[in-house]
Amino acid sequence: MKTGVAIDLGTSGFRSQKVDLETGDIKRTVVTMRNPLPGANVMDHMDFAISYGLENAHKLVINAILVLIDRLGVAPEDLHRLSVCGNPIQLSLFQGITIEDLAYAGERKREKLNIQEQNRSSKCLKSEEISGLEKFSNCTVVIPPAIRHEIGADALALIVNSGMLNSDEIAIATDFGTNAEMALKAGGVIYTGSAAAGPALEGQEIKDGVLASPRAISDVEFEGDNLRCYVLDKEMSRTKGDLVDPKTGAVIEEGPIRAKGITGTGVIALMEEGMRNGIIKLPKIQTPDGIIHLQDGVEFTENDIKEAGNAIGALRAGHITLCNAAGIQMADIKISHMSGAAGTYMDAKKAQQIGMNPYNASTITQIGNTSLKTAREILLSDERLQELQDIASQIVGTHVMFATDEAFKEAYILELAYWGEGMDFKMLKKFLKKKELPQLDDPIDNPTIERLVERDIPVYGDEGYEMIKQTGTFLSVAMPGCAECAEKIRECPTHAMSYKDDAVKIRSDLCDGSNCKKCLRFMPQPYSWDDLVVEEPVSGSTVEAETDD
């Protein structure tokens, strides 16, 4: 069998599939729980690459890919094609291309630093042209194009798979993830942007949050005064869990499945249910201890409301900003496309009720993981790769850089006041009007929901599905004979650190990156991230796989 591997290089994790190149059949699916780079969002990944070396960042990405290929059961000599898809930063780190032209938005800064824009058109390379992949001697590496250097292959995948290119209707498509890519089509022009929504939509930076995985609470619904939890099973299907008293956590009715945490879709559902039923009155929780209690001791706090509000607000501010650029009102958007894992498993109506879908969108489609789908298409067809390049070249595109856009700044400040400071919705609408920004209406009652896939990855293959907890990559700093190290590493808030063989080791996928760096304060001197060395990945046989224990 001629074998290919397709990989979605996602900000919150990598998703891979083994494919029979002759039949096109998917044989096996393996995903990672996290991105191998330190940090929970693309800004952390960018900071790590710029501050501590593109070579180190590239090694971390390649090491994770080597582990994925190993767990897919593909021998080096059997791999004939490897395709990837993702945002411009992830694809650049994969190739070892500098990301400085992506890091600095201001033209004067680029000129001062003599930063040149990189070529991010489609490519077919031999594996030896990418450092770390030399052992795949029979392999061609396929890389899809960006529309512009800021608008990556993942955004192109979103635009193409949403079907908006084939319709004249005003529509918006959003990848509900950490980086929240979005595209609005209005008047024949596609307006794109990317809101750093943060990791709350993926269940991270939430007290008991977890990434979407078996035994994660993915949805909740009130039954009278009590709260029903719904939990993902081994097949990532929504399963009825416990009915609990949200004020105490007392189990009213026990379900057949246990929970280990709450994922991003569960957070969105809890926010909507809580606000509608009055247990959440922004920014407070109306329980004796200020906590909503879910099954198996999982808790949701007022700080979690703040984190979720930051993410929801960034999405809605992004939608408002794109409408402002297009010269339309939010009410003009009648179709909303949801992609990504969160966009697939999320209750679309609940998402609309709290503003993650435009309030007037009468049709909402859930289209799954478009990035992995596109990676698989170009794995199987050079013609499809050329077609995507032609589409990327022909799209009349306008990219809105939210980091420098005044409309986004004004809209997001209002969102922060609404979610975190107690500003009511009527006042939010009043200030949007005062600042001459696109207006918000009340949400419609009965949008048409078209769920095109049951899972973000619809087909796993007859060899099954595996979720890897650990990519097997470590960063290490030599600190021989450090008597204090074994004790000090316990202060790492994400438990990413260990001390072995006279070296401090950091599991890169667990490390919280530039958002944390507490180790620089509590570790003995001399200790510096500048001295970090990327170790080789562990063998596939020692990598942990997700179980239902």
Side-chain angles (χ1 to χ4, degrees):
M1 182 180 75
K2 284 191 174 182
T3 302
V5 170
I7 303 178
D8 165 29
L9 301 175
T11 302
S12 60
F14 292 174
R15 298 152 186 91
S16 67
Q17 291 189 315
K18 178 169 71 170
V19 179
D20 184 332
L21 293 177
E22 295 178 349
T23 65
D25 292 340
I26 299 166
K27 307 302 292 182
R28 180 169 170 77
T29 300
V30 178
V31 305
T32 70
M33 287 190 70
R34 299 172 182 84
N35 189 290
L37 289 166
N41 59 65
V42 73
M43 301 305 293
D44 288 335
H45 301 166
M46 188 184 298
D47 174 77
F48 180 84
I50 290 175
S51 301
Y52 305 105
L54 175 63
E55 182 180 355
N56 281 340
H58 171 72
K59 282 184 179 179
L60 290 175
V61 172
I62 294 299
N63 285 354
I65 287 172
L66 294 176
V67 171
L68 285 172
I69 293 173
D70 178 65
R71 295 308 288 246
L72 286 168
V74 181
E77 63 273 15
D78 294 333
L79 184 62
H80 287 265
R81 283 174 75 90
L82 171 68
S83 63
V84 293
C85 190
N87 67 46
I89 292 170
Q90 304 296 345
L91 288 182
S92 296
L93 296 180
F94 166 75
Q95 296 173 77
I97 295 174
T98 180
I99 58 171
E100 289 185 335
D101 59 323
L102 303 173
Y104 300 103
E107 291 297 329
R108 284 185 295 178
K109 183 71 171 180
R110 293 188 190 187
E111 290 176 8
K112 181 179 179 181
L113 298 177
N114 193 29
I115 294 172
Q116 303 298 314
E117 188 170 314
Q118 299 297 306
N119 177 12
R120 294 187 171 88
S121 59
S122 62
K123 299 180 182 72
C124 285
L125 307 172
K126 296 303 294 180
S127 60
E128 57 262 28
E129 296 181 66
I130 297 179
S131 177
L133 298 181
E134 295 87 353
K135 68 178 181 179
F136 302 104
S137 56
N138 299 324
C139 182
T140 298
V141 179
V142 187
I143 302 168
I147 301 173
R148 287 173 49 189
H149 86 282
E150 310 103 322
I151 314 171
D154 55 345
L156 178 61
L158 174 65
I159 292 166
V160 170
N161 285 282
S162 69
M164 63 168 53
L165 291 178
N166 302 319
S167 171
D168 294 329
E169 294 188 80
I170 296 175
I172 197 163
T174 308
D175 185 343
F176 287 83
T178 303
N179 207 35
E181 292 85 3
M182 55 188 69
L184 169 71
K185 184 176 182 182
V189 178
I190 292 180
Y191 301 84
T192 60
S194 178
L201 295 180
E202 303 286 353
Q204 300 177 80
E205 304 299 332
I206 300 295
K207 178 182 178 293
D208 289 331
V210 293
L211 293 168
S213 57
R215 296 192 293 116
I217 297 171
S218 64
D219 197 2
V220 297
E221 291 179 358
F222 268 94
E223 296 181 9
D225 293 331
N226 298 313
L227 200 58
R228 174 72 68 183
C229 298
Y230 291 87
V231 185
L232 296 176
D233 64 14
K234 289 182 180 180
E235 299 299 319
M236 298 291 284
S237 297
R238 177 180 179 269
T239 303
K240 194 174 184 179
D242 291 356
L243 181 69
V244 300
D245 181 341
K247 296 180 179 179
T248 65
V251 178
I252 309 302
E253 177 186 311
E254 187 172 346
I257 188 169
R258 306 277 42 92
K260 64 181 179 181
I262 184 168
T263 192
T265 60
V267 168
I268 298 307
L270 185 55
M271 291 284 286
E272 192 277 333
E273 288 279 327
M275 292 168 66
R276 181 159 49 85
N277 287 274
I279 199 170
I280 295 177
K281 292 185 178 178
L282 296 175
K284 299 294 184 180
I285 293 174
Q286 306 300 307
T287 62
D289 57 2
I291 294 172
I292 297 177
H293 299 269
L294 305 173
Q295 77 171 73
D296 297 312
V298 177
E299 297 179 342
F300 188 77
T301 70
E302 290 177 352
N303 187 65
D304 294 335
I305 288 180
K306 177 183 176 183
E307 291 292 340
N310 290 345
I312 299 167
L315 281 167
R316 186 159 62 185
H319 291 169
I320 290 171
T321 303
L322 292 185
C323 286
N324 186 69
I328 65 171
Q329 294 296 321
M330 289 282 282
D332 295 328
I333 301 174
K334 301 302 181 184
I335 300 174
S336 179
H337 303 287
M338 305 173 68
S339 78
T344 302
Y345 297 116
M346 196 180 297
D347 185 310
K349 186 172 181 179
K350 290 175 183 174
Q352 185 178 44
Q353 292 296 310
I354 59 173
M356 296 178 72
N357 281 309
Y359 285 151
N360 291 83
S362 55
T363 300
I364 301 172
T365 67
Q366 295 174 282
I367 58 179
N369 186 317
T370 57
S371 186
L372 182 59
K373 181 175 183 288
T374 295
R376 193 168 61 249
E377 288 174 348
I378 62 175
L379 181 78
L380 293 169
S381 170
D382 286 334
E383 288 77 13
R384 181 57 169 164
L385 180 66
Q386 183 58 53
E387 182 183 347
L388 290 176
Q389 181 63 68
D390 292 342
I391 292 171
S393 302
Q394 294 167 13
I395 284 177
V396 179
T398 299
H399 183 69
V400 183
M401 183 68 74
F402 291 168
T404 58
D405 190 87
E406 195 67 22
F408 182 82
K409 182 181 76 172
E410 296 287 359
Y412 194 44
I413 288 173
L414 293 177
E415 291 289 344
L416 293 177
Y418 172 73
W419 294 102
E421 303 296 334
M423 173 190 282
D424 64 27
F425 188 63
K426 185 181 295 185
M427 188 65 69
L428 172 64
K429 293 198 292 184
K430 178 180 177 180
F431 274 101
L432 285 172
K433 184 175 182 179
K434 182 178 180 180
K435 294 179 181 297
E436 299 182 342
L437 293 171
Q439 301 297 293
L440 297 175
D441 291 331
D442 292 328
I444 64 175
D445 290 329
N446 294 302
T448 299
I449 310 296
E450 297 178 359
R451 191 179 178 91
L452 303 184
V453 293
E454 287 301 314
R455 299 186 301 234
D456 63 318
I457 305 175
V459 179
Y460 290 153
D462 55 17
E463 294 178 17
Y465 167 91
E466 182 179 5
M467 178 175 284
I468 299 175
K469 285 184 176 179
Q470 178 182 335
T471 62
T473 302
F474 288 87
L475 304 167
S476 65
V477 181
M479 296 188 71
C482 178
E484 297 178 72
C485 284
E487 290 295 324
K488 289 292 186 180
I489 60 173
R490 297 178 182 178
E491 297 184 34
C492 174
T494 59
H495 309 292
M497 302 179 74
S498 59
Y499 184 71
K500 185 179 180 181
D501 300 329
D502 285 334
V504 173
K505 298 177 183 289
I506 301 174
R507 246 186 73 176
S508 64
D509 56 340
L510 287 183
C511 177
D512 212 12
S514 59
N515 185 49
C516 177
K517 292 188 179 179
K518 290 183 174 67
C519 56
L520 297 181
R521 298 192 295 272
F522 66 67
M523 287 300 292
Q525 297 297 322
Y527 174 83
S528 171
W529 273 32
D530 293 325
D531 299 324
L532 291 172
V533 175
V534 179
E535 296 187 355
E536 293 300 311
V538 297
S539 65
S541 61
T542 62
V543 176
E544 288 186 75
E546 173 69 19
T547 69
D548 199 40
D549 296 334

